[in-house]
């Protein structure tokens, strides 16, 4: 073993499958050993005291929109801002999306977005996106998979912008199956939503306070069932983003039991916040798609963190500010959809479910780091602290109580949907590639060294219900 340059001492290492007291030895940007507590290191090694702390692999956010343009709005962060906030929140890898603008090809969008990775404080990967099929798409997908971008986002909603028809979804899924890639898909049946919105508009109930009723749960379950049928008939892998209801999760789980390699992602806000916010004083600040659901639905969804049927937890981070949210609050059809969340994803889930409901910390790491790394072809470089992994390490104080306030966060916006919430536990020191970037809650190394991660094979292990690599 080469000499360690840095040692994280005295903490409890938490991996997806186990946790135990261990010292983490780091050199050359990677973990070189997990050792018995107190194992000596060369006198020159930097030592970080992690006594009483949880030492976890940095979070991997599988669903993060950086500077995303949709309709008339562009979300407000760049790679430096988004990844700075990510690292403060214990996340050290983000997976962004390259959504083509009208007329732009999937490959052009992906290569343009990939070039921004160097502005990040941490590493990033990308989902490409297919909206329309033409004869050039298979060649583009082949090039993208070969260049380490095997996951492709698709939408069954947002007609005229990013919505893809069933035939395009089928062809893309089939092509990616043969290339070793995977479709990641936003499922909400657009015809049901359009009709529901039309009825609401006619009766003057189309403002932000009506958000939940304008995009019903039925629209999500109908679309998930349709896409699952395509995947099952093709025997192709598929990853459902931001599943917001237990019914949708259970459709995927049932398909998995029939052998379909299908994954469920849920996002932090659907697991924590409910539709009561739409009747509050600022409903526009909670407008996202799918919308927040009833408290009963939130609780039913949260139970699937314990059953194992949810594969990953993302943020669906989309950094709009209050002015953008307020500007179209009277018509949800014209609103910027999405909530800022890359920094709060891990703390709200840790507090609500690990500290608050007894979810094992090992399962937390599996949902927020290991499994997102696996489904994105980034494991075991990311998502673990086993020797050889990048030394991306989040050192958590599991007991500290703190109150969320937008003014103390680092996202490029002026609000947070969790304002005023009291949380238990937060990352205090975060290492990226073996360098201390955040220490005791302060940014100590603001130099962007982000790399675009070229994804390897997607691991279907999480779909098979096993946790061992
Ligand atoms: Zn999204």
């Amino acid at each position: 073993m080469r000499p360690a340059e840095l040692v994280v001492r005295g903490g409890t290492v938490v991996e997806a499958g186990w946790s135990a007291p261990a010292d983490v030895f780091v050199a050359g940007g990677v973990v070189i050993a997990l050792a018995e507590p107190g194992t000596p290191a060369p006198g020159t090694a930097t030592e970080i005291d992690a006594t009483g702390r949880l030492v976890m692999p940095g979070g991997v956010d599988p669903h993060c929109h950086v500077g995303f343009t949709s309709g008339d709005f562009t979300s407000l962060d760049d790679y430096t801002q988004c990844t700075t906030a990510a690292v403060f929140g214990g996340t050290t890898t983000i997976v962004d999306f390259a959504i083509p603008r009208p007329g732009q090809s999937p490959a052009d969008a992906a290569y343009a977005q990939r070039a921004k990775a160097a502005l990040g404080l941490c590493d990033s990967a990308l989902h490409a996106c297919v909206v329309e099929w033409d004869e050039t798409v298979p060649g583009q997908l082949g090039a993208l998979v070969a260049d380490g971008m095997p996951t492709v986002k698709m939408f069954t909603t947002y007609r005229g912008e990013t919505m893809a028809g069933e035939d395009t979804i089928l062809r893309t899924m089939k092509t990616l199956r043969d290339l070793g890639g995977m479709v990641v898909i936003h499922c909400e049946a657009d015809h049901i939503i359009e009709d529901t919105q039309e009825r609401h508009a006619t009766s003057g109930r189309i403002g932000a306070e009506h958000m939940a009723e304008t995009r019903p749960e039925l629209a999500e379950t109908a679309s998930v069932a349709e896409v699952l049928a395509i995947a099952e008939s093709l025997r192709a892998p598929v990853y459902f983003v931001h599943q917001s209801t237990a019914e949708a999760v259970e459709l995927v789980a049932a398909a998995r039991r029939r052998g379909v390699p299908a994954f469920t992602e849920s996002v932090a806000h659907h697991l924590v916040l409910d539709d009561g916010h739409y009747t509050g004083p600022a409903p526009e600040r909670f407008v996202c798609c799918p919308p927040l659901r009833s408290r009963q639905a939130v609780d039913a969804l949260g139970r699937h963190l314990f059953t194992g049927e949810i594969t990953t937890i993302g943020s669906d981070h989309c950094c709009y500010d209050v002015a953008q949210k307020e500007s179209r609050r009277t018509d949800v059809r014209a609103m910027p959809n999405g909530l800022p969340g890359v920094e709060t994803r891990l703390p709200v889930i840790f507090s609500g479910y690990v500290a608050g409901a007894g979810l094992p910390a090992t399962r937390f790491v599996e949902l927020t780091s290991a499994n997102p790394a696996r489904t994105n072809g980034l494991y075991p470089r990311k998502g673990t602290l086993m020797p050889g992994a990048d030394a991306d390490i989040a050192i958590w104080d599991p007991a500290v109580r703190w109150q969320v306030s937008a003014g103390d966060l680092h996202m490029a916006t002026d609000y947070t949907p969790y304002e005023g919430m009291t949380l238990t536990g937060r990352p205090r020191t975060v290492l990226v590639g073996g360098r201390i970037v955040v220490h005791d809650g302060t940014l100590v190394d603001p130099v962007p060294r982000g790399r675009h991660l070229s994804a390897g094979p997607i691991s279907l292990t999480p779909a098979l219900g096993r946790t061992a690599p």
Side-chain angles (χ1 to χ4, degrees):
M1 179 170 100
R2 61 180 146 164
E5 295 156 9
L6 181 146
V7 185
V8 180
R9 280 217 191 276
T12 299
V13 170
V14 184
E15 283 274 313
W18 57 271
S19 86
D23 292 348
V24 185
F25 283 52
V26 172
V30 302
V31 176
I32 56 170
L34 297 178
E36 288 280 318
T39 301
T44 51
T46 304
E47 302 227 344
I48 298 176
D49 180 10
T51 306
R53 306 271 156 119
L54 301 179
V55 180
M56 304 189 194
V60 177
D61 190 338
H63 191 152
C64 185
H65 299 275
V66 189
F68 172 53
T69 299
S70 172
D72 294 341
F73 297 94
T74 298
S75 66
L76 296 170
D77 50 2
D78 60 22
Y79 264 71
T80 305
Q81 291 167 309
C82 181
T83 55
T84 300
V87 173
F88 269 104
T91 288
T92 51
T93 301
I94 61 166
V95 189
D96 184 20
F97 296 83
I99 313 279
R101 298 302 301 149
Q104 192 182 28
S105 76
D108 285 351
Y111 293 119
Q113 195 73 347
R114 183 176 73 166
K116 301 174 185 170
L119 298 172
L121 263 61
C122 65
D123 295 340
S124 57
L126 265 187
H127 302 293
C129 173
V130 169
V131 176
E132 251 171 324
W133 188 264
D134 65 47
E135 71 287 351
T136 71
V137 171
Q140 292 186 57
L141 293 175
L144 288 166
V145 173
D147 278 335
M149 291 178 272
T151 49
V152 174
K153 178 80 176 279
M154 303 193 81
F155 297 81
T156 67
T157 185
Y158 307 129
R159 196 185 302 275
E161 187 134 12
T162 50
M163 177 173 149
E166 278 98 5
D167 48 353
T168 296
I169 293 169
L170 185 147
R171 287 170 177 151
T172 304
M173 212 182 262
K174 191 175 187 174
T175 305
L176 285 170
R177 175 199 67 190
D178 296 342
L179 292 165
M182 179 169 71
V183 164
V184 307
I185 189 157
H186 174 151
C187 281
E188 282 184 291
D190 205 72
H191 48 296
I192 295 177
I193 290 168
E194 277 190 351
D195 178 65
T196 311
Q197 288 179 335
E198 236 173 80
R199 275 186 278 122
H200 273 73
T202 308
S203 57
R205 294 178 296 123
I206 198 69
E209 65 278 21
H210 297 286
M211 183 65 197
E213 309 113 69
T214 63
R215 300 183 84 94
E217 294 185 12
L218 264 178
E220 183 174 350
T221 40
S223 180
V224 168
E226 164 73 32
V227 170
L228 269 174
I230 297 172
E232 186 159 5
S233 120
L234 294 174
R235 305 212 144 273
V238 60
Y239 176 107
F240 294 90
V241 298
H242 54 49
Q243 290 209 302
S244 71
T245 69
E247 290 74 14
V249 172
E250 285 155 17
L251 284 174
V252 176
R256 206 157 39 225
R257 287 193 285 275
R258 297 193 299 273
V260 184
F263 303 99
T264 281
E265 172 195 277
S266 288
V267 298
H269 51 257
H270 289 132
L271 288 160
V272 175
L273 302 173
D274 65 46
D275 63 3
H277 289 286
Y278 297 127
T279 56
E284 65 280 354
R285 297 186 189 189
F286 299 88
V287 168
C288 54
C289 296
L292 300 181
R293 306 297 193 188
S294 68
R295 178 42 55 181
Q296 196 186 4
V298 173
D299 292 343
L301 183 68
R303 282 196 281 280
H304 281 306
L305 296 178
F306 296 85
T307 62
E309 303 295 17
I310 293 175
T311 317
T312 66
I313 300 174
S315 68
D316 201 0
H317 170 78
C318 215
C319 208
Y320 299 112
D321 68 6
V322 169
Q324 288 175 310
K325 293 299 245 183
E326 284 180 348
S327 66
R328 304 284 172 86
R329 67 193 301 278
T330 55
D331 189 342
V332 295
R333 295 169 298 183
M335 276 205 64
N337 299 306
L339 308 180
V342 73
E343 186 171 1
T344 43
R345 175 183 69 121
L346 297 180
V348 299
I349 296 297
F350 187 92
S351 181
Y353 287 96
V354 181
L359 185 75
T362 50
R363 175 81 178 128
F364 172 78
V365 169
E366 181 175 54
L367 284 159
T368 59
S369 180
N371 277 354
R374 289 175 174 129
T375 58
N376 284 289
L378 305 174
Y379 193 90
R381 180 176 178 184
K382 305 293 187 186
T384 175
L385 295 178
M386 291 305 283
D390 285 349
D392 294 351
I393 306 173
I395 303 172
W396 283 67
D397 180 340
V400 64
R401 302 267 293 165
W402 61 289
Q403 199 173 38
V404 182
S405 163
D408 299 334
L409 298 175
H410 305 84
M411 294 178 283
T413 177
D414 50 1
Y415 88 103
T416 165
Y418 306 102
E419 185 71 39
M421 209 178 253
T422 299
L423 301 182
T424 300
R426 78 189 296 185
R428 297 306 296 165
T429 297
V430 181
L431 282 71
V432 178
R435 292 173 191 271
I436 303 168
V437 174
V438 166
H439 192 51
D440 283 335
T442 303
L443 183 65
V444 293
D445 186 352
V447 180
R449 295 188 183 86
R451 296 166 295 186
H452 168 76
L453 298 167
S454 189
I458 289 162
S459 167
L460 300 181
T461 301
L464 304 176
R466 287 187 283 119
T467 54

